[in-house]
Amino acid sequence: MGLSMTEQAARHVRETLAKRGKGQGIRIGVKTSGCSGLSYVLEFVDTPNPEDTAFAFGDVKLFVDPKSLVYLDGTELDFTREGLNQGFRFNNPNVKNTCGCGESFTT
């Protein structure tokens, strides 16, 4: 099982953690939400949970809880800028369907 991160995403996480002044990385997970069933959750990690799986990309770490890992296996985390909009993009090969607004998905 694994995840990957583009250099753009790693740079954004690195810069955000530097501005924040602390943190070991970010946790990516899923929660039940939206009209399709699941949505992504991101949060800063100051102290990893013992059950987290860590993925290192240079000096940037992604942490994933065991429940979420089955839904996120193979996912690439990217950071994109399109016009005035910017944000993380999840390129998840497990997604079978998304809702109309793009906020939730099913696997």
Side-chain angles (χ1 to χ4, degrees):
M1 294 206 151
L3 278 79
S4 61
M5 177 187 285
T6 65
E7 180 52 41
Q8 294 88 341
R11 183 179 321 113
H12 182 74
V13 171
R14 188 179 307 112
E15 290 169 358
T16 303
L17 289 172
K19 287 178 189 173
R20 190 171 177 259
K22 63 179 179 176
Q24 293 190 28
I26 60 170
R27 179 176 293 108
I28 178 175
V30 297
K31 69 176 183 173
T32 303
S33 178
C35 50
S36 286
L38 298 170
S39 63
Y40 298 105
V41 178
L42 287 173
E43 63 185 8
F44 292 110
V45 175
D46 294 329
T47 305
N49 295 329
E51 66 274 5
D52 283 344
T53 300
F55 300 93
F57 304 95
D59 58 344
V60 175
K61 290 184 183 175
L62 278 181
F63 298 92
V64 184
D65 66 272
K67 177 187 162 206
S68 297
L69 189 55
V70 297
Y71 299 105
L72 297 171
D73 186 33
T75 297
E76 175 190 65
L77 182 63
D78 193 10
F79 188 80
T80 60
R81 292 187 175 152
E82 297 173 2
L84 297 175
N85 298 318
Q86 64 180 6
F88 285 107
R89 175 171 292 168
F90 302 89
N91 299 315
N92 186 340
N94 306 302
V95 171
K96 303 291 184 223
N97 208 357
T98 59
C99 67
C101 64
E103 292 297 317
S104 63
F105 64 94
T106 57
T107 57

